[in-house]
Amino acid sequence: MAAATERADELVREYLLFRGFTAALKQLDAEIKADREKGFRVDKIVDQLQQFVQSYDLAALRDYWSYLDRRLFSRLEDVYRPTVNKLKTSLFRYYLVHTVQTGRNDKAQEFFLKQASELQNQAEWKDWFVLPFLPAPDSNPTFATYFSRQWADTFIVSLHNFLSVLFQCMPVPVILNFEAECLRSSLVQEENESLRHKLFALQAESSRMKKEEVEVEQVVMHHKLPAYVANMDRLGDSELDMTCSQRGTAHSLQSRGGFLSSFLSQSKKSPSRPAHPSGASPTQTSSMLLGKKESTNHQSAKGKEGAVSSKDGKSHFSGLAGESSSLQQRQKRLQEHGKERKELLSKGTFQGQSAEKKTDVSTAEMEPYSELHAEQTETSAKMPASNAEAVGVRQEQPFIVLSQEEYGEHHSSIMYCRVDCSGRRVASLDVDGVIKVWSFNPIMQTKASSISKSPLLSLEWATKRDRLLLLGSGVGTVRLYDTEAKKNLCEISIDEDMPRILSLACSPNGASFVCSAAAQNPISHMDFSAVSSGGKSMSQVPGKLLLWDTKTMKQQLQFSLEPEPIAINCTAFNHNGNLLVTGAADGIVRLFDMQQHECAMSWKAHDGEVYSVEFSCDENTVYSIGEDGKFIQWNIHRSGLKVSEYHLPSEATGPFVLSGYSGYKQVQFPRGRLFAFDSEGNYMLTCSSTGGVIFKLNGEEKVLESCLSLGGHRAPVVTVDWSTAMDCGTCLTASMDGKIKLTTLLAQKS
């Protein structure tokens, strides 16, 4: 407290010097020098009291304590009054003990003469009037305690602690919170930066682990062999040569099979069957291929290899006739195996188990399976690599979702949901007229709640005093609601002929606000019957746009609406309040000069109503969403010039439909903001049927690129808001079931 006060005094001095207020500076220095509160320094206040005691200045002591009582102690609750009285009694006893210890009995008698009228009726002072007349009061059992050093030190420490706690708990002006806010802000920034580094480190670690997993998976899939090759080492040398030739190896294998091995190596596919040795049945051959024991099968395979070699050698030297016939059979089998391969490919699945159960398994029948299996193995081995490459080149998400919380205090569809200027509180309004003001940092907590007897149609935060809410009703009134005092400060009547207050917008300087009033409409914006979503939500009803003074709550002027008075659905100021953009039921966007209080330009923007308008971040353009489902960017320097145009789905523009039981449909026309921008204006948050969706605004390609879906809703989202007042962006999405999702985003820094 003392440090903050000293710092604030220095800031005020610096400001007065900057403004040239030298007289005020001299007066400030003089009053600071004579400050009786000593800049809220407890040690100096206690020293001042002790100085009065040691100098026997009873009048100054009483006067100073009375000043502290009037200035500080009187603000305390009644429960602390006994403590203050005890401290006052102990201070006077401390004074008396000091006079007796220093031999100034005259000062002790003077004390009782001046204080007798005040102390004679107090029970705690009944025994103290004899103190000046006792020869040795320090040895008297009644007063011995007060003459000890321990009692004096305890009293000084108690007084010091009481004043310290008092200064820490007393309410202080905003300027004294400057130091604490700066410190808190710096600590939050440091914490955010630390968390950002941790997050990026975890992302890098996760990416590295995924990459390692992909590499391991590639290696495993690359080395995964077909079932019939798993026992390759158990086959004989001739079978090994045949299997290698079937898998299309480019080089010739030097095997012990003689002519058969050299012949098989010349083509990728070999239709010839392995010759069975004499006395060996097909079943035995099949069991030999599947393998039983390595040593036994290896030896038997060598025996069979000799039989195959001798038999093939005989057939080779038998003459050209046998060779030509074998070639014809080879070609025929090649054609048959080609047909089988196509059939296997068309089926897409392989009957591996049934093939193993068959007893007569030929090498030619296994050949298509082996080749196709090899192709699949190679393809699956390549797929993780391609995926890894895709992940490597994929751009990082622009935002990281840190948290998503739900506010569920509403029990009907939300109409408005707005964050205040500080980004710490939210005001939400539902169709039942229930207003909730709630905070979300550090925890989600309702601060104020109110139910309106008359229907409410619009809501807006006041800018300068962000504790105030402007509420527009359906009976032609605007209320100013204090969210901290939880009461209505005033209620003004706008126009009886224009009872529906459709839109409110407060100027950034806080001096005024605009109010859009409209006549009754046969088709209400809150019609929840089964209205066709394709129909017009509002007929061309008359309306007016008014400017009101925030302090006096009096009307300043009425804007001219050309070509005819029309209901204004939405309004928005630019950053300094010099420009106002409006969207009307006739589909026209109007731009008002708030210094001249006249319409600077207007243009036909949409077929049907304009639902929502906002300035871009650079304020050279405005964006609008209309009943025709278009999201359009307009140049405000040239009337009616489109910069870009995008088509949005109906779930982002309304009317919003929530289906119920037995074919019942709840229909709600747009009321609040349908889109909001991030701090730099590169991304836009819109409504959808399951939650908010963030799009990237790309002016060059003229397309909306969906970047992030927030989700979390079971009913259509009807209004959104995006607060960038804090370091982390806060997205609000409110739906027709009364649920509000608060999503905290962290922007990725490139």
Short mmCIF file of all heavy atoms in Angstrom, two decimals, residues 61-103:
data_model
loop_
_atom_site.label_atom_id
_atom_site.label_comp_id
_atom_site.label_asym_id
_atom_site.label_seq_id
_atom_site.Cartn_x
_atom_site.Cartn_y
_atom_site.Cartn_z
N LEU A 61 -1.60 14.10 21.07
CA LEU A 61 -1.87 12.66 21.02
C LEU A 61 -3.36 12.39 20.82
O LEU A 61 -3.75 11.57 19.98
CB LEU A 61 -1.37 12.00 22.30
CG LEU A 61 -1.54 10.48 22.41
CD1 LEU A 61 -0.69 9.78 21.36
CD2 LEU A 61 -1.15 10.00 23.81
N ARG A 62 -4.20 13.10 21.60
CA ARG A 62 -5.65 12.92 21.47
C ARG A 62 -6.14 13.36 20.08
O ARG A 62 -6.97 12.69 19.46
CB ARG A 62 -6.37 13.73 22.56
CG ARG A 62 -6.13 13.21 23.97
CD ARG A 62 -6.70 14.15 25.00
NE ARG A 62 -8.12 14.41 24.76
CZ ARG A 62 -8.83 15.36 25.40
NH1 ARG A 62 -8.23 16.14 26.28
NH2 ARG A 62 -10.11 15.52 25.13
N ASP A 63 -5.61 14.48 19.62
CA ASP A 63 -6.04 15.00 18.33
C ASP A 63 -5.66 14.05 17.18
O ASP A 63 -6.45 13.82 16.26
CB ASP A 63 -5.41 16.38 18.09
CG ASP A 63 -5.85 16.97 16.77
OD1 ASP A 63 -7.05 17.21 16.59
OD2 ASP A 63 -4.98 17.18 15.90
N TYR A 64 -4.43 13.50 17.25
CA TYR A 64 -3.99 12.61 16.18
C TYR A 64 -4.80 11.31 16.17
O TYR A 64 -5.17 10.79 15.11
CB TYR A 64 -2.50 12.30 16.34
CG TYR A 64 -1.87 11.64 15.14
CD1 TYR A 64 -1.94 12.24 13.88
CD2 TYR A 64 -1.22 10.42 15.24
CE1 TYR A 64 -1.37 11.65 12.77
CE2 TYR A 64 -0.65 9.81 14.14
CZ TYR A 64 -0.72 10.43 12.90
OH TYR A 64 -0.17 9.84 11.79
N TRP A 65 -5.08 10.77 17.38
CA TRP A 65 -5.89 9.55 17.43
C TRP A 65 -7.32 9.83 16.94
O TRP A 65 -7.91 8.99 16.26
CB TRP A 65 -5.91 9.00 18.86
CG TRP A 65 -6.66 7.69 18.92
CD1 TRP A 65 -7.96 7.49 19.25
CD2 TRP A 65 -6.13 6.40 18.62
NE1 TRP A 65 -8.28 6.16 19.18
CE2 TRP A 65 -7.17 5.46 18.79
CE3 TRP A 65 -4.87 5.94 18.22
CZ2 TRP A 65 -6.98 4.11 18.59
CZ3 TRP A 65 -4.69 4.60 18.03
CH2 TRP A 65 -5.74 3.69 18.19
N SER A 66 -7.85 10.97 17.26
CA SER A 66 -9.19 11.32 16.78
C SER A 66 -9.21 11.42 15.26
O SER A 66 -10.19 11.03 14.60
CB SER A 66 -9.65 12.65 17.39
OG SER A 66 -9.73 12.55 18.80
N TYR A 67 -8.11 11.97 14.69
CA TYR A 67 -8.02 12.05 13.23
C TYR A 67 -8.00 10.66 12.60
O TYR A 67 -8.71 10.39 11.62
CB TYR A 67 -6.77 12.82 12.82
CG TYR A 67 -6.50 12.78 11.34
CD1 TYR A 67 -7.18 13.62 10.46
CD2 TYR A 67 -5.56 11.90 10.80
CE1 TYR A 67 -6.95 13.57 9.09
CE2 TYR A 67 -5.32 11.85 9.44
CZ TYR A 67 -6.00 12.69 8.59
OH TYR A 67 -5.78 12.64 7.23
N LEU A 68 -7.20 9.75 13.19
CA LEU A 68 -7.15 8.38 12.66
C LEU A 68 -8.50 7.69 12.80
O LEU A 68 -8.93 6.95 11.90
CB LEU A 68 -6.07 7.58 13.40
CG LEU A 68 -4.62 8.01 13.19
CD1 LEU A 68 -3.69 7.15 14.04
CD2 LEU A 68 -4.22 7.91 11.72
N ASP A 69 -9.18 7.96 13.93
CA ASP A 69 -10.49 7.35 14.13
C ASP A 69 -11.51 7.86 13.11
O ASP A 69 -12.29 7.09 12.55
CB ASP A 69 -10.97 7.68 15.55
CG ASP A 69 -12.20 6.86 15.92
OD1 ASP A 69 -12.50 5.90 15.20
OD2 ASP A 69 -12.87 7.20 16.92
N ARG A 70 -11.46 9.17 12.86
CA ARG A 70 -12.40 9.77 11.92
C ARG A 70 -12.07 9.39 10.47
O ARG A 70 -12.96 9.17 9.65
CB ARG A 70 -12.37 11.29 12.09
CG ARG A 70 -13.36 12.05 11.24
CD ARG A 70 -13.35 13.52 11.57
NE ARG A 70 -12.06 14.15 11.31
CZ ARG A 70 -11.19 14.47 12.28
NH1 ARG A 70 -11.47 14.21 13.56
NH2 ARG A 70 -10.04 15.04 11.97
N ARG A 71 -10.81 9.30 10.15
CA ARG A 71 -10.36 9.08 8.76
C ARG A 71 -10.33 7.60 8.39
O ARG A 71 -10.64 7.24 7.25
CB ARG A 71 -8.97 9.68 8.60
CG ARG A 71 -8.37 9.55 7.22
CD ARG A 71 -8.99 10.52 6.23
NE ARG A 71 -8.31 10.47 4.94
CZ ARG A 71 -8.55 9.58 4.01
NH1 ARG A 71 -9.47 8.67 4.21
NH2 ARG A 71 -7.91 9.62 2.85
N LEU A 72 -9.97 6.73 9.34
CA LEU A 72 -9.76 5.32 9.01
C LEU A 72 -10.68 4.38 9.79
O LEU A 72 -11.39 3.56 9.20
CB LEU A 72 -8.30 4.93 9.29
CG LEU A 72 -7.22 5.73 8.54
CD1 LEU A 72 -5.84 5.31 9.01
CD2 LEU A 72 -7.35 5.53 7.04
N PHE A 73 -10.69 4.53 11.13
CA PHE A 73 -11.39 3.54 11.95
C PHE A 73 -12.90 3.61 11.79
O PHE A 73 -13.59 2.60 11.96
CB PHE A 73 -11.02 3.72 13.42
CG PHE A 73 -9.53 3.66 13.68
CD1 PHE A 73 -8.95 4.38 14.73
CD2 PHE A 73 -8.70 2.89 12.88
CE1 PHE A 73 -7.60 4.32 14.97
CE2 PHE A 73 -7.34 2.83 13.12
CZ PHE A 73 -6.79 3.56 14.16
N SER A 74 -13.43 4.77 11.47
CA SER A 74 -14.89 4.91 11.35
C SER A 74 -15.44 4.14 10.15
O SER A 74 -16.64 3.87 10.08
CB SER A 74 -15.26 6.39 11.23
OG SER A 74 -14.67 6.95 10.06
N ARG A 75 -14.58 3.80 9.19
CA ARG A 75 -15.02 3.05 8.02
C ARG A 75 -15.12 1.56 8.27
O ARG A 75 -15.63 0.82 7.42
CB ARG A 75 -14.06 3.29 6.85
CG ARG A 75 -13.95 4.76 6.44
CD ARG A 75 -13.02 4.91 5.27
NE ARG A 75 -12.88 6.31 4.86
CZ ARG A 75 -12.14 6.73 3.84
NH1 ARG A 75 -11.48 5.83 3.11
NH2 ARG A 75 -12.06 8.00 3.53
N LEU A 76 -14.62 1.12 9.42
CA LEU A 76 -14.65 -0.30 9.72
C LEU A 76 -16.05 -0.74 10.13
O LEU A 76 -16.89 0.07 10.52
CB LEU A 76 -13.66 -0.62 10.85
CG LEU A 76 -12.17 -0.38 10.55
CD1 LEU A 76 -11.35 -0.61 11.79
CD2 LEU A 76 -11.71 -1.30 9.43
N GLU A 77 -16.27 -2.03 10.03
CA GLU A 77 -17.54 -2.59 10.47
C GLU A 77 -17.64 -2.52 11.99
O GLU A 77 -16.63 -2.40 12.70
CB GLU A 77 -17.67 -4.03 9.98
CG GLU A 77 -17.65 -4.17 8.47
CD GLU A 77 -17.73 -5.62 8.02
OE1 GLU A 77 -17.94 -6.49 8.89
OE2 GLU A 77 -17.59 -5.87 6.81
N ASP A 78 -18.85 -2.63 12.49
CA ASP A 78 -19.08 -2.49 13.94
C ASP A 78 -18.39 -3.58 14.74
O ASP A 78 -18.07 -3.37 15.92
CB ASP A 78 -20.59 -2.52 14.22
CG ASP A 78 -21.29 -1.30 13.66
OD1 ASP A 78 -20.60 -0.28 13.42
OD2 ASP A 78 -22.52 -1.36 13.42
N VAL A 79 -18.13 -4.72 14.10
CA VAL A 79 -17.52 -5.82 14.84
C VAL A 79 -16.09 -5.48 15.27
O VAL A 79 -15.55 -6.05 16.23
CB VAL A 79 -17.54 -7.10 13.97
CG1 VAL A 79 -16.61 -6.96 12.77
CG2 VAL A 79 -17.19 -8.32 14.78
N TYR A 80 -15.45 -4.51 14.57
CA TYR A 80 -14.07 -4.13 14.92
C TYR A 80 -14.02 -2.95 15.89
O TYR A 80 -12.93 -2.54 16.29
CB TYR A 80 -13.30 -3.78 13.65
CG TYR A 80 -13.18 -4.92 12.68
CD1 TYR A 80 -13.91 -4.94 11.50
CD2 TYR A 80 -12.35 -6.00 12.96
CE1 TYR A 80 -13.82 -5.99 10.60
CE2 TYR A 80 -12.25 -7.06 12.07
CZ TYR A 80 -12.98 -7.05 10.89
OH TYR A 80 -12.88 -8.10 10.02
N ARG A 81 -15.15 -2.38 16.28
CA ARG A 81 -15.15 -1.23 17.19
C ARG A 81 -14.56 -1.56 18.55
O ARG A 81 -13.78 -0.75 19.10
CB ARG A 81 -16.59 -0.71 17.31
CG ARG A 81 -16.77 0.47 18.24
CD ARG A 81 -15.83 1.61 18.00
NE ARG A 81 -15.84 2.10 16.64
CZ ARG A 81 -15.06 3.09 16.22
NH1 ARG A 81 -14.16 3.64 17.04
NH2 ARG A 81 -15.12 3.50 14.98
N PRO A 82 -14.86 -2.72 19.16
CA PRO A 82 -14.20 -3.04 20.46
C PRO A 82 -12.68 -3.09 20.36
O PRO A 82 -11.98 -2.68 21.29
CB PRO A 82 -14.79 -4.41 20.82
CG PRO A 82 -16.09 -4.47 20.11
CD PRO A 82 -15.89 -3.72 18.84
N THR A 83 -12.16 -3.57 19.22
CA THR A 83 -10.70 -3.62 19.06
C THR A 83 -10.12 -2.22 19.03
O THR A 83 -9.07 -1.95 19.64
CB THR A 83 -10.35 -4.37 17.76
OG1 THR A 83 -10.94 -5.66 17.78
CG2 THR A 83 -8.85 -4.49 17.60
N VAL A 84 -10.78 -1.30 18.34
CA VAL A 84 -10.31 0.08 18.28
C VAL A 84 -10.34 0.71 19.68
O VAL A 84 -9.39 1.42 20.08
CB VAL A 84 -11.17 0.89 17.30
CG1 VAL A 84 -10.77 2.36 17.31
CG2 VAL A 84 -11.04 0.33 15.89
N ASN A 85 -11.40 0.45 20.45
CA ASN A 85 -11.49 1.01 21.81
C ASN A 85 -10.40 0.45 22.71
O ASN A 85 -9.82 1.19 23.54
CB ASN A 85 -12.87 0.71 22.40
CG ASN A 85 -13.98 1.45 21.67
OD1 ASN A 85 -13.73 2.52 21.08
ND2 ASN A 85 -15.19 0.92 21.71
N LYS A 86 -10.09 -0.83 22.58
CA LYS A 86 -9.02 -1.42 23.40
C LYS A 86 -7.67 -0.80 23.06
O LYS A 86 -6.84 -0.55 23.95
CB LYS A 86 -8.97 -2.94 23.18
CG LYS A 86 -10.11 -3.69 23.83
CD LYS A 86 -9.98 -5.19 23.60
CE LYS A 86 -11.12 -5.95 24.26
NZ LYS A 86 -11.02 -7.42 24.03
N LEU A 87 -7.42 -0.56 21.75
CA LEU A 87 -6.16 0.06 21.35
C LEU A 87 -6.07 1.49 21.90
O LEU A 87 -4.98 1.94 22.32
CB LEU A 87 -6.03 0.06 19.83
CG LEU A 87 -5.76 -1.30 19.18
CD1 LEU A 87 -5.81 -1.18 17.66
CD2 LEU A 87 -4.39 -1.83 19.61
N LYS A 88 -7.18 2.21 21.89
CA LYS A 88 -7.18 3.58 22.44
C LYS A 88 -6.89 3.56 23.94
O LYS A 88 -6.07 4.36 24.44
CB LYS A 88 -8.53 4.22 22.16
CG LYS A 88 -8.65 5.64 22.69
CD LYS A 88 -10.02 6.22 22.39
CE LYS A 88 -10.14 7.65 22.96
NZ LYS A 88 -11.48 8.23 22.70
N THR A 89 -7.53 2.63 24.67
CA THR A 89 -7.29 2.51 26.11
C THR A 89 -5.83 2.16 26.39
O THR A 89 -5.18 2.74 27.28
CB THR A 89 -8.22 1.44 26.71
OG1 THR A 89 -9.58 1.81 26.47
CG2 THR A 89 -7.98 1.29 28.20
N SER A 90 -5.29 1.22 25.61
CA SER A 90 -3.89 0.83 25.82
C SER A 90 -2.93 1.97 25.49
O SER A 90 -1.88 2.12 26.15
CB SER A 90 -3.56 -0.39 24.95
OG SER A 90 -4.37 -1.48 25.30
N LEU A 91 -3.27 2.80 24.50
CA LEU A 91 -2.41 3.93 24.16
C LEU A 91 -2.35 4.94 25.32
O LEU A 91 -1.26 5.43 25.68
CB LEU A 91 -2.95 4.62 22.90
CG LEU A 91 -2.19 5.87 22.44
CD1 LEU A 91 -0.75 5.52 22.05
CD2 LEU A 91 -2.91 6.53 21.27
N PHE A 92 -3.51 5.25 25.92
CA PHE A 92 -3.52 6.18 27.06
C PHE A 92 -2.80 5.58 28.27
O PHE A 92 -2.10 6.30 29.01
CB PHE A 92 -4.96 6.54 27.42
CG PHE A 92 -5.60 7.48 26.42
CD1 PHE A 92 -6.98 7.56 26.31
CD2 PHE A 92 -4.81 8.27 25.61
CE1 PHE A 92 -7.57 8.43 25.40
CE2 PHE A 92 -5.40 9.14 24.69
CZ PHE A 92 -6.77 9.22 24.59
N ARG A 93 -2.93 4.29 28.51
CA ARG A 93 -2.21 3.65 29.61
C ARG A 93 -0.71 3.66 29.33
O ARG A 93 0.11 3.83 30.26
CB ARG A 93 -2.72 2.21 29.79
CG ARG A 93 -4.11 2.14 30.40
CD ARG A 93 -4.61 0.70 30.50
NE ARG A 93 -5.92 0.65 31.15
CZ ARG A 93 -6.64 -0.45 31.31
NH1 ARG A 93 -6.16 -1.62 30.86
NH2 ARG A 93 -7.82 -0.42 31.90
N TYR A 94 -0.36 3.48 28.08
CA TYR A 94 1.06 3.56 27.70
C TYR A 94 1.62 4.95 28.00
O TYR A 94 2.76 5.09 28.47
CB TYR A 94 1.18 3.24 26.21
CG TYR A 94 2.59 3.26 25.66
CD1 TYR A 94 3.49 2.23 25.93
CD2 TYR A 94 3.02 4.32 24.87
CE1 TYR A 94 4.78 2.26 25.41
CE2 TYR A 94 4.30 4.36 24.35
CZ TYR A 94 5.17 3.32 24.62
OH TYR A 94 6.45 3.36 24.11
N TYR A 95 0.79 5.97 27.77
CA TYR A 95 1.20 7.35 28.08
C TYR A 95 1.37 7.54 29.58
O TYR A 95 2.37 8.13 30.05
CB TYR A 95 0.15 8.31 27.53
CG TYR A 95 0.36 9.75 27.91
CD1 TYR A 95 1.25 10.56 27.20
CD2 TYR A 95 -0.32 10.32 28.99
CE1 TYR A 95 1.45 11.89 27.55
CE2 TYR A 95 -0.13 11.64 29.34
CZ TYR A 95 0.75 12.43 28.62
OH TYR A 95 0.95 13.74 28.98
N LEU A 96 0.41 7.03 30.39
CA LEU A 96 0.49 7.18 31.84
C LEU A 96 1.70 6.45 32.41
O LEU A 96 2.42 6.98 33.28
CB LEU A 96 -0.79 6.64 32.48
CG LEU A 96 -2.03 7.53 32.40
CD1 LEU A 96 -3.24 6.81 32.94
CD2 LEU A 96 -1.79 8.83 33.16
N VAL A 97 1.93 5.24 31.95
CA VAL A 97 3.08 4.47 32.45
C VAL A 97 4.38 5.21 32.14
O VAL A 97 5.30 5.26 32.97
CB VAL A 97 3.07 3.06 31.82
CG1 VAL A 97 4.39 2.35 32.09
CG2 VAL A 97 1.91 2.25 32.38
N HIS A 98 4.44 5.82 30.93
CA HIS A 98 5.66 6.56 30.58
C HIS A 98 5.86 7.77 31.49
O HIS A 98 7.00 8.06 31.91
CB HIS A 98 5.56 7.02 29.12
CG HIS A 98 6.73 7.84 28.68
ND1 HIS A 98 7.99 7.31 28.46
CD2 HIS A 98 6.83 9.19 28.42
CE1 HIS A 98 8.81 8.27 28.09
NE2 HIS A 98 8.13 9.43 28.06
N THR A 99 4.78 8.47 31.85
CA THR A 99 4.92 9.64 32.74
C THR A 99 5.39 9.23 34.13
O THR A 99 6.22 9.91 34.75
CB THR A 99 3.58 10.38 32.85
OG1 THR A 99 2.58 9.49 33.34
CG2 THR A 99 3.16 10.93 31.50
N VAL A 100 4.87 8.10 34.64
CA VAL A 100 5.27 7.64 35.98
C VAL A 100 6.70 7.14 35.96
O VAL A 100 7.49 7.41 36.89
CB VAL A 100 4.30 6.55 36.46
CG1 VAL A 100 4.80 5.92 37.77
CG2 VAL A 100 2.91 7.12 36.66
N GLN A 101 7.07 6.39 34.91
CA GLN A 101 8.44 5.86 34.84
C GLN A 101 9.48 6.97 34.74
O GLN A 101 10.61 6.80 35.22
CB GLN A 101 8.56 4.91 33.64
CG GLN A 101 7.90 3.55 33.86
CD GLN A 101 8.04 2.66 32.64
OE1 GLN A 101 8.22 3.15 31.53
NE2 GLN A 101 7.93 1.35 32.85
N THR A 102 9.13 8.07 34.11
CA THR A 102 10.08 9.18 33.96
C THR A 102 9.95 10.21 35.09
O THR A 102 10.59 11.26 35.04
CB THR A 102 9.83 9.88 32.62
OG1 THR A 102 8.47 10.29 32.53
CG2 THR A 102 10.17 8.95 31.47
N GLY A 103 9.11 9.91 36.11
CA GLY A 103 8.99 10.80 37.26
C GLY A 103 8.18 12.05 37.02
O GLY A 103 8.32 13.03 37.77
#
